[in-house]
Amino acid sequence: MSDEFTLHTSEWVYPSEAVKAAAKIKDYEALSAEAARDIEAFWAKRATETLDWFAPWEKVLDRSNAPFFKWFVGGKISVVHNALDRHIAAGKGDRIAYYWEGEPGDSREITYGWLNEQVCKFANVLKSLGVKKGDIVTIYMGRVPEIIVAMLACAKIGAMHSVVYGGFSEQSLADRIDDAKSRVMVTCDGAWLRGKIVALKDIADAAVARSSTIEHVVCVKRTGQAVNMTSGRDQWWHDVMASASPEAETVQMDAEDPLFILYTSGTTGKPKGILHTQAGYQLLISVTLSWVFDIKEDDIWWCAADPGWITGHSYIVYAPLILGATSVIYEGAPNFPGHDRWWQVVEKYKVSILYCAPTAIRGLMRHGDELPRKHDLSSLRLLGSVGEPINPEAWRWFYSVIGGERCPIMDTWWQTETGGFMVTPLPVVPLKPGSATRPFPGIIVDVVDEEGRPCGPTEDGLLVIKQPWPSMLRTIWGDPDRYVSQYWSHFSHEGWYFSGDSARRDEDGYIWVIGRMDDVIKVSGYRLGTAEVESGLVSHAAVAEAAVIGIPDDVRGHIIYAYCILVAGQQPSDELAETLKAHIRHEVGPIAVPSKIEFVPALPKTRSGKIMRRVLKARALGQPEGDTSALED
Ligand code: WT7
């Protein structure tokens, strides 16, 4: 994979005196050393500084049932208390939590006070629908403030949420509903995307029909088109909220009680419900946001992700609210109505910190420097990147054209499973464009070979985390065996977490993430399993067998190529390829549509029948096929 981009390991970019003077955290080395001396004391200190507790913990880290680690055992806490109640009690009800910008140009100012009132009301709505502590509410919504209300309302009463990204289609949504056994779903009539309506409620209806547990649907009116409302099952958000009481109690939770599950893609067709719990999650995400993005009272923070991904859960919803920050949320596409919409938003709200994905940067970079230069971007002081490696060219454009060479770029490496940043600079850390630099203090990361031996500076290896961390996933929902085998069994060392990424660590100890080593593809920053797309293809009657690979792409990072064997009697045609693309769009979602579908008589397989995607990829790229001794014929 290292052929896909060149490492520039010797180029340094140093923080300016102004950045250093402004930064809250001045000494990365001292904090790392403090953590290395006593990792439990390090996190315990931050847990006291950052969060309010109803009752103190008895044990910081319980390793007795590894890898089912427990953090802050015995502590009592609530994320809603830390995100809302304590700010209201401190008289900050009028402070802006979110400036919300709708795609059509409408806007809303969401205060902490309003958010709190809405959360209380919706908590009461959920209770009236029979939702109890430990139940899982499925949330399938656009990027509207109500998605945050819905998530926090679940947390307030001790229920869990499972947010399914609005880009997933009916079968994906149905699978996730069934896996979570959700009785209640919250959705919207539609979402705006590039001036068009994504008909969320229609997709939600189809998913309810294909799944077996939903009894109640609450629907937010956003786009206003006619939707089907099934009587006895569906209710409008505005109707149920009108009569709900604005008084609700925040339930005190155990530190290890579940907070949410979030489905992500793995190496099989079945998505993994990643479980995050209460205390450790809150702690790590708020400390990382505070230190890495240096959030202060007068900052305007914009994490341009979707609340439906972990980036949104951690750094749009929970961490900014815990820190009492003011954030921007923009509903729609970066290129609507023009390719300068993002720069307009930065100018309008005087955004001081912008955190986004390399694919978005590359997409906007293609449209030249003129568009960003038309806007006043001087409010920016820090930038951030997440989701895939950022190539040095995009890094430099982001740094110079968007950041005016003032703003260090925080390239944060992490995963749905890690909950928050693992490898990342702080503003004062010297940067190398394309490297996520070094581990966050308290996170023990290494690059090792298959036997677990540390790799040298010119060797590609596996990225591992060698000590548990507070916001680690706790299990895969309903599948603890898969949790153990997937993440904790790759090495013989107990408590080594296998990330699935390959990386290199250079002579300065800087980490260069290369990419996934498993059958996971990152398309425009979205994580997809080859098996998910393959099973989507095979679910069409014309397809007997399918194999999917990721091919490097300048803007999207990777795009999908699919190879299909047709059932007897079916003829390959361009028309059939288009039909299959439409089928994937419908079954899995627009993000999973292959860029190319090729019909083939056979697929390269091992003698045991496993498809050798590596060989397909080499052929597609015109590269040597490598060791093919395992090939069937
Ligand atoms: C995978 C996790 C982390 C929230 C969004 C994605 C890739 C993530 C970086 C980065 C290089 C990165 C990895 C990782 N990735 N951040 N800064 N540099 N690669 O979460 O969907 O769970 O995907 O994204 O391959 O394993 P996710």
Side-chain angles (χ1 to χ4, degrees):
M1 286 276 284
S2 48
D3 52 329
E4 286 169 19
F5 71 104
T6 329
L7 305 181
H8 297 256
T9 56
S10 54
E11 182 190 340
W12 290 98
V13 175
Y14 293 95
S16 67
E17 290 309 318
V19 166
K20 285 198 262 183
K24 220 178 327 191
I25 301 296
K26 309 273 189 221
D27 195 346
Y28 166 85
E29 307 295 344
L31 286 165
S32 290
E34 179 194 329
R37 274 195 303 277
D38 186 343
I39 209 164
E40 294 184 24
F42 174 84
W43 286 117
K45 179 161 184 235
R46 271 76 223 183
T48 314
E49 286 168 359
T50 318
L51 303 172
D52 285 1
W53 296 79
F54 300 120
W57 59 86
E58 283 140 26
K59 197 170 174 49
V60 176
L61 173 58
D62 177 359
R63 299 175 182 261
S64 60
N65 189 23
F68 297 92
F69 298 103
K70 291 183 179 153
W71 284 86
F72 302 104
V73 183
K76 292 259 182 202
I77 197 163
S78 162
V79 72
V80 175
H81 173 86
N82 283 307
L84 294 176
D85 303 1
R86 63 173 177 168
H87 303 315
I88 307 297
K92 294 187 185 155
D94 291 335
R95 184 169 161 81
I96 305 277
Y98 298 101
Y99 290 108
W100 180 84
E101 170 90 358
E103 194 189 75
D106 50 339
S107 59
R108 291 162 71 181
E109 289 185 2
I110 309 292
T111 62
Y112 276 86
W114 183 88
L115 196 55
N116 182 49
E117 188 188 288
Q118 297 291 304
V119 168
C120 289
K121 284 186 168 189
F122 200 63
N124 287 324
V125 170
L126 291 175
K127 280 193 266 185
S128 75
L129 298 177
V131 177
K132 289 187 279 301
K133 186 174 170 182
D135 289 350
I136 305 175
V137 174
T138 293
I139 298 178
Y140 181 68
M141 300 171 77
R143 227 173 278 168
V144 288
E146 285 75 11
I147 189 175
I148 298 174
V149 174
M151 291 166 75
L152 292 169
C154 293
K156 187 167 179 94
I157 63 172
M160 300 152 74
H161 50 73
S162 161
V163 180
V164 179
Y165 173 61
F168 281 116
S169 293
E170 56 208 53
Q171 190 58 48
S172 305
L173 177 56
D175 290 344
R176 287 157 176 76
I177 290 169
D178 276 339
D179 192 70
K181 300 187 177 63
S182 280
R183 290 176 44 251
V184 173
M185 173 159 60
V186 190
T187 188
C188 297
D189 54 352
W192 288 114
L193 191 66
R194 265 172 232 105
K196 298 206 181 75
I197 292 170
V198 180
L200 295 178
K201 179 64 165 64
D202 291 354
I203 301 169
D205 286 344
V208 173
R210 289 187 186 199
S211 58
S212 46
T213 52
I214 295 289
E215 294 164 16
H216 300 284
V217 177
V218 180
C219 184
V220 171
K221 187 174 263 185
R222 166 59 184 148
T223 42
Q225 82 281 17
V227 294
N228 170 58
M229 295 292 279
T230 301
S231 100
R233 185 193 75 187
D234 300 354
Q235 300 182 75
W236 286 108
W237 174 283
H238 53 262
D239 288 339
V240 290
M241 289 292 269
S243 53
S245 157
E247 306 287 333
E249 199 194 331
T250 298
V251 174
Q252 302 191 3
M253 304 291 282
D254 285 335
E256 280 294 339
D257 275 339
L259 175 58
F260 64 81
I261 56 174
L262 182 57
Y263 287 94
T264 190
S265 298
T267 48
T268 71
K270 192 170 154 33
K272 303 184 280 193
I274 302 299
L275 175 71
H276 283 288
T277 57
Q278 296 280 333
Y281 174 76
Q282 293 177 54
L283 173 64
L284 185 125
I285 63 168
S286 48
V287 174
T288 50
L289 183 63
S290 168
W291 292 5
V292 173
F293 284 106
D294 197 38
I295 304 269
K296 303 199 187 79
E297 189 76 14
D298 50 4
D299 273 311
I300 306 291
W301 159 247
W302 182 17
C303 167
D306 191 279
W309 301 110
I310 192 69
T311 316
H313 281 52
S314 299
Y315 297 109
I316 296 175
V317 181
Y318 289 114
L321 293 175
I322 291 169
L323 299 180
T326 297
S327 305
V328 165
I329 298 179
Y330 165 57
E331 177 185 35
N335 55 1
F336 189 85
H339 291 281
D340 59 345
R341 183 63 185 274
W342 269 21
W343 317 130
Q344 245 172 37
V345 170
V346 169
E347 180 172 17
K348 176 172 176 185
Y349 296 103
K350 298 194 166 49
V351 170
S352 58
I353 312 169
L354 171 62
Y355 181 44
C356 62
T359 185
I361 300 164
R362 291 191 295 259
L364 294 167
M365 181 172 83
R366 279 201 309 174
H367 298 281
D369 302 0
E370 282 311 302
L371 288 173
R373 294 227 154 99
K374 272 187 4 206
H375 297 277
D376 179 4
L377 306 180
S378 62
S379 54
L380 290 170
R381 71 179 188 92
L382 284 174
L383 299 172
S385 162
V386 61
E388 52 181 327
I390 177 165
N391 50 311
E393 192 196 355
W395 197 100
R396 279 192 207 93
W397 186 81
F398 198 29
Y399 184 72
S400 55
V401 178
I402 304 308
E405 299 188 351
R406 291 182 316 277
C407 314
I409 300 175
M410 302 297 109
D411 178 355
T412 59
W413 177 85
W414 58 296
Q415 308 178 302
T416 305
E417 291 87 342
T418 71
F421 311 156
M422 296 286 104
V423 180
T424 172
L426 303 180
V428 297
V429 168
L431 304 175
K432 297 189 185 194
S435 166
T437 76
R438 292 192 288 170
F440 190 81
I443 306 299
I444 313 303
V445 168
D446 206 350
V447 176
V448 301
D449 66 15
E450 282 291 345
E451 277 68 53
R453 287 184 294 256
C455 289
T458 55
E459 234 182 306
D460 290 358
L462 320 182
L463 195 57
V464 294
I465 308 176
K466 288 177 157 178
Q467 287 284 339
W469 64 100
S471 63
M472 55 181 278
L473 78 165
R474 296 307 197 265
T475 191
I476 294 174
W477 189 248
D479 201 348
D481 294 343
R482 193 174 174 196
Y483 167 74
V484 176
S485 64
Q486 182 97 54
Y487 300 110
W488 304 96
S489 306
H490 199 89
F491 304 98
S492 51
H493 306 261
E494 185 177 289
W496 279 28
Y497 169 86
F498 174 59
S499 70
D501 278 356
S502 64
R504 194 179 290 183
R505 189 174 36 201
D506 70 17
E507 56 284 357
D508 298 305
Y510 275 47
I511 289 170
W512 299 76
V513 178
I514 297 166
R516 300 291 309 188
M517 343 185 9
D518 50 12
D519 294 326
V520 169
I521 315 177
K522 297 264 34 215
V523 180
S524 297
Y526 299 125
R527 177 167 162 182
L528 283 168
T530 49
E532 272 174 288
V533 186
E534 287 161 2
S535 60
L537 285 164
V538 186
S539 73
H540 191 279
V543 180
E545 226 181 319
V548 154
I549 55 172
I551 293 290
D553 178 80
D554 281 351
V555 173
R556 287 178 282 177
H558 285 88
I559 51 176
I560 298 173
Y561 276 19
Y563 299 84
C564 296
I565 302 177
L566 295 177
V567 298
Q570 288 286 339
Q571 292 309 316
S573 69
D574 292 348
E575 209 186 334
L576 181 56
E578 289 313 309
T579 304
L580 292 177
K581 286 183 189 176
H583 179 72
I584 289 292
R585 176 179 298 275
H586 198 65
E587 290 294 303
V588 189
I591 54 178
V593 175
S595 300
K596 186 170 118 180
I597 296 183
E598 206 175 300
F599 300 107
V600 291
L603 290 166
K605 284 186 188 164
T606 62
R607 281 177 207 96
S608 59
K610 196 170 167 349
I611 295 169
M612 291 180 81
R613 295 190 185 78
R614 179 173 62 75
V615 172
L616 284 172
K617 190 165 171 176
R619 284 180 193 167
L621 295 171
Q623 290 169 349
E625 289 176 16
D627 178 10
T628 51
S629 56
L631 211 59
E632 183 182 34
D633 62 62

